[in-house]
Amino acid sequence: MRIKSMKTYQILLILTISLLTFFKDAKASDIHIEEVLELSINSPITPATFNYIEQGFNRATKQKSDAILIKMNTPGGLVSTTKEILTLIGNSDKPVIIWVSPEGASATSAGAIISSAAHVLLMSDGTNIGAATPIQMSGNIEQSDLRSKSVNDLKALVQSLAQTRGRNATLFGDMIEKASSFEANVAKEKKLIDEILNKKSQLSKVLDQRVIHILGEDRKIVSKNINFTSYEMDLGQKLLNIFANPNTAYILFLIGAALIYLEFQAPGGFIAGSLGAFALLLAAIGFQVLPLNFGAMGLIILAFVLFIIEIYITSYGILSLAGLGSFITGSLFLLRTDDSYIVVSQTLIYSAAGAISFFLLLVGYYLVKDHKNIGQTKFNNQVGEEATILAILSESEDGSNFKYQVKIHGEVWNLESSKKYDIGESVEVLEQTELSLKG
């Protein structure tokens, strides 16, 4: 009886441990979402967008956010940058929720491709998603082989992501191949998205008990109340986003080339050439021809070159303003590569720019002040000063005119006087000509 009792006890112990392990694993598989970091994309997809999203993901890890919400409204962008963002989402251990919002917004082209990777994809009423066929700036890709290669590559990628997330892979493929576009209700009906969401406050209700596929595992979301923390683009990212727009970069390139040409046609002024160099550097950064850090250092170096040229060229502050703009832009772009773990403090950048601006204004004030006095006062005026006799140079025969060598504030002058003075005596200067004094 004792042996049977021991066996029964062992069996119960094993069952208890198994049940505890089961419930522990079940609990561990749940993702509790209370803190959500909110990002916002309201522009074309450019390297600045990737930099912003990457920093947002790092911020979410640092402040221990449970999930990342990306509000999206984009007309599309660069395929290379889109693939980098897809990799970023795929490697994320936090649920990434993409919400096409507000009304009138769209996730077009690159936006639709990025949306296919979201762990949870939501849309507001009055929005649309799709039209993701790759194009060039001048229109559709002309060569049939190149077009087929590009389209098939993106189609397979998007369908694979959609299938992994449990969405309609076929229609996601049609967005690439046929440039199909779907409004919110149709997208929900065709299982392209997970839900329609019109108010951010309803997000916890949409997420609660939803099963998502993340890092190769099916996980259930548990969410009751959500606290949102916004993370916006900083000034450097906003500027980079503007210059990275292909149209903006192309216009800057044309302006820069025209100014350089003007400098060669009318050399000597340096104003057109300097401004042209500034525009060409920005264009090179926008075209990604010049690595961002090299471009940033180039802008900072150009800034100090412009400050030096301002000393020798009368530009009425144009070169100084261009230099200040070049300095601030270059400083904001510095250390924004993908593998950078340090960043220049914006407070330090603005303080340095403020100090340079103050110095330039101070110098400009005194230059303007002296410019107003030109012709009104004589340079190095000695009238009324006390001169010390150093030597007697000559004396007229009648004793009515004497010439002396005098010293005033360290300067040696010739002085004429009708009075006789001994060496070491002081005499007041009454008149001044270009080369001599009278006393």
Side-chain angles (χ1 to χ4, degrees), residues 391-404 415-422:
I392 301 174
L393 300 179
S394 64
E395 179 182 350
S396 63
E397 294 181 357
D398 58 0
S400 61
N401 188 29
F402 298 89
K403 290 185 178 180
Y404 303 96
L415 182 141
E416 295 182 13
S417 178
S418 59
K419 297 180 181 180
K420 185 176 180 178
Y421 296 96
D422 295 326

Side-chain angles (χ1 to χ4, degrees), residues 55-67:
Q55 288 194 4
F57 277 48
N58 293 335
R59 176 67 66 88
T61 301
K62 184 177 180 180
Q63 66 184 32
K64 297 182 180 180
S65 298
D66 302 313

Side-chain angles (χ1 to χ4, degrees), residues 75 106-110 112-113 128-135 139-141 147 150-152 154-155 158-159 169-183 192:
S106 65
T108 309
S109 189
I113 298 173
N128 70 285
I129 185 172
T133 302
I135 60 172
N140 288 332
I141 300 175
R147 175 183 172 83
S150 177
V151 168
N152 291 336
L154 287 176
K155 179 181 177 181
V158 169
Q159 286 184 324
T170 301
L171 291 184
F172 264 104
D174 288 345
M175 293 182 191
I176 305 293
E177 189 173 24
K178 301 178 182 179
S180 301
S181 186
F182 305 90
E183 55 94 8
L192 288 167

Side-chain angles (χ1 to χ4, degrees), residues 243-310:
F243 295 135
N245 186 303
N247 296 324
T248 306
Y250 184 65
I251 292 172
L252 285 170
F253 172 75
L254 293 179
I255 293 173
L259 290 172
I260 294 292
Y261 174 78
L262 181 62
E263 181 63 43
F264 279 111
Q265 287 294 317
F270 293 105
I271 297 176
S274 300
L275 296 177
F278 180 39
L280 285 179
L281 274 175
L282 292 177
I285 293 172
F287 285 138
Q288 301 182 64
V289 173
L290 196 63
L292 188 56
N293 271 340
F294 286 100
M297 281 304 301
L299 288 170
I300 294 174
I301 292 171
L302 176 63
F304 287 98
V305 170
L306 294 178
F307 293 148
I308 294 172
I309 294 177
E310 179 70 66

Side-chain angles (χ1 to χ4, degrees), residues 136-156:
Q136 291 179 330
M137 286 180 63
S138 59
N140 288 332
I141 300 175
E142 296 178 357
Q143 297 86 350
S144 59
D145 292 340
L146 181 60
R147 175 183 172 83
S148 297
K149 181 179 179 180
S150 177
V151 168
N152 291 336
D153 176 63
L154 287 176
K155 179 181 177 181

Side-chain angles (χ1 to χ4, degrees), residues 2 20 27 55 58 71 94 99 105 123-124 140 149 154 172 217 223 226-227 261 346 387 402 411 413:
R2 183 178 179 83
L20 288 173
K27 185 177 181 181
Q55 288 194 4
N58 293 335
K71 290 181 65 177
K94 301 179 186 297
W99 180 24
M123 294 177 69
S124 295
N140 288 332
K149 181 179 179 180
L154 287 176
F172 264 104
E217 296 181 357
S223 179
I226 293 179
N227 297 318
Y261 174 78
Q346 290 196 26
F402 298 89
E411 299 177 358
W413 289 78

